[in-house]
Amino acid sequence: MSSPVAVIDLDLPGPTISRHVYGHFAEHLGRCIYGGFWVGEDSDVPNVGGIRSDVVAALRAINIPNLRWPGGCFADDYHWRDGVGPREARPRTVNSHWGDVVEDNAFGTHEFMALCELLGADPYVSGNVGSGSVREMSEWIEYLTRADDSPMAALRREHGRDEPWKVPFWGIGNEAWGCGGNLRAEQFASLARQYATYVREHAGNEVYRIAAGASDHDYHWTETLMRSFDPLESGDGRAAPFQAVSLHYYTMTGPWSDKGSATRFDTDEWYLALSRAAHMEELLTRHGAMMDRYDPRKRVGLVVDEWGTWWNVEPGTDPGFLLQQNTLRDALVASVHFDAFHRHADRVVMANIAQTVNVLQAMVLTDPETDALVLTPTYHVFAMNTGHHDAAALAVHLRGDVPTREVDGGELPLVSASASTRGDTALVSLTNLDADAARTVVLDLRGRDVVGHTARVLTAPALNAHNTAATPDAVAPALHDGVRAHKRGLEVDLPAHSYVTVRLELAPADD
Ligand code: AHR
């Protein structure tokens, strides 16, 4: 059997991989906001204005580009006026989606915007369609972004913030087919047009409006939203009245009632999870094809604003808090998703993994007893991929003997790859999904001379290896010396169950 060969034309840059596909999502759910991001100003945990400094530092280190908030399902139950003004005067409400807990609204609009400023991330606010009103949404964006003495700008000043903020991303509802109102596609499409109209652009704040989109393979939902544009463009050439539709897709190995354990799984479940992750490729292709029918020039973006693994909660924890461990398997689920996002860079303008801290496929876990912060294996994939942010996608053609395995009625390729270039560098991402076998991949590098390379590897002895406060680096990236010159370019050793990135230094291009 010959090695798989990855053919890459380094001189044929494709569409830009938006840094926003490395976006994040923070919902009022379990310990994501409270105890995760927010500890309050009086906490012993080092914080700036109540926001945990170590969490901010960890996310800044991976160049977090944007943060979606306040939900999720919570967004369609959230009334923004409950979360502004003096904290002690804010009403207590009920978070009926997540644990039925009382929400004291300590973390609201100003706290979220302060968090985004600390992170250096663009805010992505999810507006309430399900139980809100057009007026409420319209006043929220006025409150956030208006500069003069309009009623909402004046209220913001009364609450201590003089300057308007910039809010580049705005969600029109969330999962409108489910927790966001149980609406029919046709019904929501009309509402999305209406609500988006009133998300006004104040004080030069250009807003990218994202209509709540489909779940999984609900192509009818995407088609209905695409049809509803008619006409597609506003006077300025942008799609209107909204600019993007979203898509949600979660990876799990069992049914909704028993999604699988985060840490106790066998080899079959390893492959099942990775084949479910690889399914993102088909979803992007088919939702993209549906969008192409109505928008061949790709003016409407596809925003995958919820994705990631969803396992059974950790034993003994609140089922409504969605706390799960994060293993090497989660890391490879992430790398496989990123390969798909890179391949579809012409349509996928943003993606948000669910969720940033202590919930679902988190970047960081914080211990409620000791306050220790742990970086997850998934975090390290984000860290290894920062070179792809805003770089030009390069097509990777896998040839030769690419091993496959029959999983779930289909053939799962056991090597996944993508690449990008920026200036005189390129970054190649390679995932070996094989639970047991190491593999060597030849990089057939064409079009530009490669004058240097460095590589990193993320792997661990066990498939379910994960990081804890006691063993924070059980899964952590290391320099990889398994890269050699080859007559076609380079050959790269991929340990079993590993993720490898190879950074290439390129000689200046001949023009
Ligand atoms: O991320 C958890 C939940 O998953 C979100 O609130 C909802 O949008 C989705 O169903």
Side-chain angles (χ1 to χ4, degrees):
M1 213 173 158
S2 64
S3 296
V5 178
V7 181
I8 305 175
D9 288 301
L10 295 164
D11 59 342
L12 295 179
T16 301
I17 296 169
S18 171
R19 66 184 182 284
H20 290 294
V21 301
Y22 287 87
H24 292 268
F25 170 33
E27 182 165 12
H28 288 236
L29 193 178
R31 292 190 302 107
C32 183
I33 296 293
Y34 299 110
F37 280 113
W38 179 256
V39 286
E41 284 146 340
D42 301 332
S43 170
D44 292 338
V45 179
N47 68 84
V48 176
I51 295 166
R52 267 186 89 135
S53 303
D54 54 358
V55 172
V56 168
L59 296 172
R60 284 187 71 93
I62 53 171
N63 298 344
I64 177 174
N66 68 68
L67 186 62
R68 177 175 183 249
W69 172 86
C73 294
F74 182 81
D76 280 296
D77 255 335
Y78 186 63
H79 301 282
W80 67 269
R81 281 176 184 256
D82 293 344
V84 294
R87 267 187 223 119
E88 60 285 1
R90 295 183 193 174
R92 291 160 74 80
T93 51
V94 173
N95 187 337
S96 45
H97 288 289
W98 306 117
D100 208 30
V101 294
V102 172
E103 159 73 57
D104 69 3
N105 286 298
F107 190 93
T109 297
H110 290 246
E111 291 76 13
F112 172 64
M113 297 305 290
L115 170 61
C116 288
E117 284 176 347
L118 289 172
L119 293 169
D122 284 335
Y124 171 9
V125 172
S126 249
N128 179 348
V129 171
S131 70
S133 69
V134 173
R135 178 174 180 175
E136 182 182 13
M137 194 183 287
S138 175
E139 289 183 341
W140 199 5
I141 191 135
E142 180 189 326
Y143 182 93
L144 281 156
T145 60
R146 193 152 176 106
D148 61 11
D149 61 350
S150 79
M152 291 303 114
L155 183 62
R156 184 189 68 236
R157 285 202 189 89
E158 214 176 279
H159 294 154
R161 169 81 185 196
D162 186 18
E163 287 299 303
W165 289 286
K166 291 283 183 207
V167 181
F169 302 113
W170 196 276
I172 311 293
N174 171 75
E175 299 197 348
W177 37 264
C179 63
N182 280 311
L183 305 175
R184 304 268 177 234
E186 292 70 15
Q187 196 183 359
F188 176 69
S190 300
L191 283 178
R193 287 180 62 90
Q194 183 188 0
Y195 273 72
T197 303
Y198 294 91
V199 178
R200 306 252 191 235
E201 301 197 331
H202 302 282
N205 178 64
E206 192 171 291
V207 196
Y208 193 77
R209 302 166 190 80
I210 300 153
S215 170
D216 306 359
H217 48 263
D218 185 353
Y219 303 111
H220 171 70
W221 190 279
T222 298
E223 177 162 33
T224 308
L225 283 180
M226 292 306 294
R227 261 187 216 277
S228 82
F229 275 104
D230 195 25
L232 185 63
E233 282 185 11
S234 62
D236 64 6
R238 287 197 296 163
F242 45 90
Q243 288 74 48
V245 300
S246 69
L247 170 68
H248 288 183
Y249 174 67
Y250 284 98
T251 295
M252 46 190 93
T253 51
W256 190 249
S257 53
D258 182 12
K259 304 175 189 70
S261 162
T263 51
R264 291 181 310 280
F265 53 85
D266 59 19
T267 310
D268 285 343
E269 287 171 276
W270 162 271
Y271 286 116
L272 187 54
L274 291 170
S275 88
R276 299 260 160 101
H279 186 59
M280 179 53 81
E281 174 64 31
E282 179 182 326
L283 293 175
L284 297 182
T285 302
R286 296 187 61 187
H287 282 285
M290 183 59 80
M291 295 175 77
D292 285 348
R293 276 165 57 177
Y294 298 87
D295 174 30
R297 286 171 52 204
K298 302 187 195 297
R299 283 160 296 182
V300 180
L302 183 59
V303 170
V304 188
D305 56 15
E306 289 187 28
W307 68 271
T309 55
W310 193 328
W311 309 124
N312 296 336
V313 298
E314 288 304 305
T317 65
D318 189 321
F321 283 12
L322 309 189
L323 173 69
Q324 63 188 43
Q325 247 304 350
N326 192 300
T327 70
L328 181 64
R329 180 177 63 165
D330 295 77
L332 269 53
V333 164
S335 65
V336 165
H337 274 79
F338 285 128
D339 288 341
F341 296 154
H342 298 165
R343 281 191 288 270
H344 292 268
D346 57 349
R347 183 66 88 176
V348 179
V349 295
M350 189 194 288
N352 306 74
I353 191 167
Q355 299 192 8
T356 324
V357 192
N358 295 330
V359 168
L360 299 177
Q361 192 174 352
M363 299 299 106
V364 299
L365 301 173
T366 65
D367 187 316
E369 308 299 326
T370 64
D371 291 320
L373 176 142
V374 168
L375 305 178
T376 65
T378 300
Y379 174 93
H380 294 305
V381 173
F382 277 71
M384 291 166 77
N385 275 13
T386 53
H388 289 304
H389 292 203
D390 291 335
L394 290 169
V396 179
H397 304 282
L398 280 175
R399 301 238 177 97
D401 292 320
V402 180
T404 59
R405 181 181 170 110
E406 214 181 294
V407 186
D408 211 14
E411 288 287 311
L412 174 67
L414 295 181
V415 174
S416 176
S418 65
S420 69
T421 185
R422 186 208 323 266
D424 293 334
T425 64
L427 185 66
V428 182
S429 290
L430 298 159
T431 306
N432 182 7
L433 284 60
D434 201 311
D436 302 307
R439 199 140 267 128
T440 297
V441 173
V442 172
L443 300 184
D444 184 341
L445 301 169
R446 304 177 180 186
R448 291 189 67 180
D449 290 334
V450 177
V451 293
H453 60 79
T454 47
R456 300 170 82 194
V457 60
L458 186 73
T459 189
L463 300 179
N464 67 348
H466 54 275
N467 298 331
T468 64
T471 54
D473 295 323
V475 188
L479 284 177
H480 186 44
D481 58 9
V483 183
R484 294 171 299 282
H486 182 277
K487 60 181 187 247
R488 290 175 161 191
L490 295 171
E491 61 181 358
V492 184
D493 295 335
L494 305 182
H497 53 262
S498 69
Y499 179 58
V500 169
T501 53
V502 186
R503 182 187 148 95
L504 306 174
E505 307 299 330
L506 308 176
D510 306 326
D511 289 320

